[in-house]
Amino acid sequence: MKTFERDDLLFFRFEALPDNGGVGHAVFSRRGGVSRAPFDSLNMSLSVPDERDRVYANRRRVYGLYGRDTNSVVHAHLVHGADVARVTQADNGAWVEHVDGLITDQPGCVLSMNFADCAPIFLYDPVRHAIGLGHAGWKGTVVDLPGAMVRAMAAQFGSRPADLVAAIGPCIGPCCYEVGEAVIDGVRAAFAAPDELLRQNGRPRPHFDLPEANRRNLYNAGVVHIEHSEFCTACRTDLFFSHRAEKGRTGRFGTVFALL
Ligand SMILES: [Zn+2]
């Protein structure tokens, strides 16, 4: 990813995804907002006990980069599932219920989601001019939310998986993601070579490779162009919020994917 600074904001863009007159995207760090500890400072979410006015001020800064505010981007109530919603401009300002993937082919539609360890999934179809934004923690990963997004774009827009450009954003890495029985059982049931994703490396408990599992989900769905941010959110709490590393007392960083 490439690093950008504007005013106090620090954010990132993938090499593989465009940010031009037709499509825009960004992964925001936790820097450049007005929230106080432990939400310092660019917390985008009211699902944590931050002050409402500060969250709205943060959203104005982030969405303002795309000429929007919280009432003119599409949000999702994330539930760690594999449901995907097709949205349009009419959904700008709405909170789409019970989905972890949003897709659109309508210019003027701006997708947003917030994260703290789960993997952001970006999908771009340069042929059909369509985009998708998804949220995959371990539950979304073992139920293949990324594959569901690929199939939804194929069904709704005629996207060919081989045309899609995918990017996996900052998420907790195998360096930090020690997991218990529920995750281990889920990964063993979902993946062909689970031991490659449950890394032991001499440690007492396995550590789940969340980004690699989602790369495999995308690859198994036919996507070949896949970029990964390489940032571990738990290693880099200077840049990102991490639910695991900060023991739940933290905020959520924002992502935006816009079809212009
Ligand atoms: Zn780490």
Side-chain angles (χ1 to χ4, degrees):
M1 289 199 301
K2 288 181 286 191
T3 305
F4 296 82
E5 287 182 73
R6 196 161 307 167
D7 301 323
D8 292 332
L9 293 173
L10 175 69
F11 55 99
F12 304 90
R13 291 189 176 123
F14 296 97
E15 315 268 349
L17 294 180
D19 191 272
N20 53 35
V23 57
H25 81 283
V27 174
F28 291 85
S29 74
R30 67 189 293 169
R31 296 186 192 168
V34 297
S35 293
R36 295 186 284 207
F39 311 110
D40 49 314
S41 59
L42 193 63
N43 169 46
M44 296 291 285
S45 178
L46 288 169
S47 69
V48 295
D50 194 0
E51 294 165 68
R52 190 175 188 86
D53 290 350
R54 294 182 189 271
V55 175
Y56 272 81
N58 292 339
R59 289 180 182 173
R60 280 194 295 276
R61 292 185 183 193
V62 164
Y63 303 138
L65 273 189
Y66 294 90
R68 303 294 176 114
D69 62 26
T70 194
N71 296 318
S72 50
V73 304
V74 185
H75 308 268
H77 270 139
L78 307 172
V79 291
H80 299 279
D83 287 343
V84 178
R86 177 182 186 171
V87 297
T88 68
Q89 275 204 57
D91 297 297
N92 280 331
W95 288 82
V96 183
E97 294 289 342
H98 299 293
V99 300
D100 288 85
L102 297 171
I103 61 171
T104 189
D105 67 346
Q106 194 176 74
C109 202
V110 180
L111 311 180
S112 72
M113 285 186 187
N114 306 321
F115 297 86
D117 289 344
C118 294
I121 308 293
F122 290 74
L123 285 173
Y124 170 53
D125 183 345
V127 177
R128 300 290 182 179
H129 198 56
I131 59 173
L133 181 62
H135 161 268
W138 76 264
K139 288 182 181 172
T141 301
V142 300
V143 296
D144 194 14
L145 179 272
M149 291 173 64
V150 172
R151 290 184 285 277
M153 290 180 71
Q156 297 285 333
F157 310 135
S159 295
R160 296 189 312 172
D163 291 335
L164 294 176
V165 180
I168 302 169
C171 61
I172 191 166
C175 39
C176 296
Y177 197 11
E178 181 179 305
V179 292
E181 291 306 319
V183 179
I184 294 167
D185 292 348
V187 172
R188 290 200 180 285
F191 288 94
D195 290 332
E196 295 174 10
L197 300 171
L198 294 163
R199 300 216 212 152
Q200 205 82 34
N201 292 351
R203 297 173 293 201
R205 298 184 74 92
H207 285 51
F208 181 38
D209 193 336
L210 180 72
E212 171 60 16
N214 281 302
R215 192 196 64 77
R216 292 183 187 198
N217 279 335
L218 290 163
Y219 183 80
N220 291 340
V223 181
V224 289
H225 307 288
I226 305 168
E227 180 178 349
H228 173 231
S229 82
E230 305 295 344
F231 280 118
C232 168
T233 45
C235 284
R236 296 304 305 269
T237 53
D238 59 320
L239 289 175
F240 301 104
F241 297 110
S242 170
H243 188 268
R244 171 64 67 96
E246 299 173 282
K247 299 181 170 55
R249 287 179 47 79
T250 191
R252 303 286 182 271
F253 61 87
T255 61
V256 170
F257 207 0
L259 211 53
L260 304 167

